[in-house]
Amino acid sequence: MRPRRTALAGALLGTLILAGCGQTGTTATPSAAPSASSAPTAPASGAGFPVTVEAGNGKVTLAKKPERIVSLSATHTETLFAIGAGPQVVAVDDQSNYPPEAPKTDLSGFKPNVEAIVAQKPDLVIVSNDIDQIVAELGKVNVPVLLEPAATKLDEAYEEIAEIGAATGNQAKADEVVSGMKTAMDKLAAEAPKDKKLTYYHELDQTPYAATSQTFIGQVYGLFGLTNIADKAPDQAGGYPKLSAEFVAQADPDMIFLGDVKCCGQSKDTLAKRPGWKGLSAIKNDQVIQLDDDLASRWGPRVVQLAESIGAAVAKAGAKS
């Protein structure tokens, strides 16, 4: 039985993405396959349908291999193409900007329109949020839906990739992708200098919203032995606290990671103009790291690239300290 993910975490992450401040190569050499506890209840790739996958909306049974998939999640669009299901995808939502060949439409994952979705004649729809009860609404017209909420930890991200692989008839490639991700992440974590006790602040937007160690992004940072200043925020807000400028200034993090670069134009220079921030150690020591907004807010296969960016920055900071 797969673990139940909190709706709050997914809703908060979705809200932050909708606000316009971020979205989330890929595989290394495969090692071990996903554990049995996280694998979906479906036969391996090449075996016949029907298959049953236990997703966020319970057990979903697909009578045959889907050939017209609609993705209403930028993260899951990336996953579909990474596992070889790209040729089966007929439409993706307006936030799905990777890979470039994804058939982007004006479909919205935040304001799903049943009629517009059905017009694509899908035999599988994949979502990350059950907004406006879209799962039930599509169920009324006999369209199978796979709900895969925002992952709150790496194991859940791996699990979702495996589930999408099973549901689309691409289990073997999905297992390969997951194994490669695990190998790459383990290698990056092992190489990280963890004896420096560096502190950091990850900015979701310039409000500023942050993410604690209990979130998916926080767990990625945890691989590198960093201490998250947001963990001491008075109001944890489900893992995404809104910090005051004074709180960040007082914490004076060694490193600042920006996940609001493309959407909001944030940089070391813009941070320095905020009240009380000009003297922050991260700014003075040139330890403000501009991340790719998409990588910083998606939990799919490209999380390895995000980890690589963090790892390189930690290694650089460690060498200077």
Side-chain angles (χ1 to χ4, degrees):
M1 182 68 70
R2 62 193 263 120
R4 303 295 287 177
R5 271 163 260 164
T6 63
L8 179 60
L12 281 169
L13 184 57
T15 300
L16 291 167
I17 294 174
L18 181 58
C21 287
Q23 306 289 326
T24 124
T26 321
T27 62
T29 304
S31 59
S35 66
S37 61
S38 64
T41 56
S45 177
F49 280 72
V51 297
T52 298
V53 175
E54 187 161 352
N57 54 323
K59 292 183 178 180
V60 178
T61 298
L62 295 159
K64 61 181 181 178
K65 180 177 178 178
E67 298 295 344
R68 295 189 60 83
I69 300 171
V70 170
S71 171
L72 299 182
S73 163
T75 294
H76 300 325
T77 295
E78 294 191 11
T79 293
L80 285 163
F81 279 82
I83 66 174
Q88 299 160 252
V89 179
V90 296
V92 301
D93 72 306
D94 56 2
Q95 298 300 309
S96 291
N97 56 4
Y98 186 90
E101 63 267 27
K104 189 174 181 179
T105 69
D106 58 1
L107 291 174
S108 173
F110 299 110
K111 295 181 181 293
N113 181 297
V114 175
E115 291 76 15
I117 296 168
V118 172
Q120 297 291 337
K121 299 180 180 179
D123 49 15
L124 177 63
V125 174
I126 302 180
V127 299
S128 56
N129 288 288
D130 189 16
I131 297 175
D132 296 334
Q133 297 183 314
I134 188 62
V135 174
E137 291 301 310
L138 288 172
K140 291 178 182 178
V141 289
N142 299 316
V143 175
V145 182
L146 201 65
L147 171 62
E148 297 289 0
T152 60
K153 52 188 177 182
L154 282 166
D155 282 347
E156 288 178 0
Y158 299 146
E159 182 182 357
E160 290 192 356
I161 293 171
E163 289 167 356
I164 292 173
T168 62
N170 295 279
Q171 181 76 71
K173 180 60 177 177
D175 288 348
E176 180 184 328
V177 168
V178 169
S179 295
M181 291 173 68
K182 289 181 176 180
T183 299
M185 297 293 275
D186 288 347
K187 184 174 184 292
L188 288 167
E191 293 173 347
K194 299 182 178 64
D195 58 337
K196 302 299 182 180
K197 306 301 181 185
L198 298 170
T199 60
Y200 80 95
Y201 158 57
H202 174 87
E203 179 167 290
L204 291 166
D205 71 9
Q206 71 270 40
T207 306
Y209 273 99
T212 70
S213 296
Q214 301 306 308
T215 63
F216 178 82
I217 185 71
Q219 187 181 19
V220 175
Y221 282 109
L223 296 175
F224 299 95
L226 301 177
T227 298
N228 190 344
I229 67 165
D231 290 347
K232 293 185 178 180
D235 181 2
Q236 293 289 290
Y240 299 95
K242 182 178 180 180
L243 306 180
S244 67
E246 293 76 18
F247 179 91
V248 177
Q250 184 173 6
D252 192 18
D254 297 308
M255 309 179 74
I256 295 177
F257 293 87
L258 300 176
D260 53 358
V261 178
K262 291 190 296 186
C263 71
C264 310
Q266 297 306 293
S267 66
K268 182 178 73 172
D269 292 338
T270 62
L271 295 189
K273 294 178 182 178
R274 298 181 188 178
W277 284 35
K278 185 176 181 179
L280 290 181
S281 298
I283 294 177
K284 291 191 299 182
N285 298 328
D286 196 25
Q287 293 301 321
V288 176
I289 298 89
Q290 293 178 291
L291 300 173
D292 181 301
D293 298 28
D294 296 339
L295 297 183
S297 59
R298 296 177 186 172
W299 59 98
R302 291 200 297 162
V303 70
V304 173
Q305 292 183 27
L306 171 64
E308 288 172 345
S309 297
I310 295 172
V314 171
K316 178 181 175 182
K320 284 187 175 182
S321 62

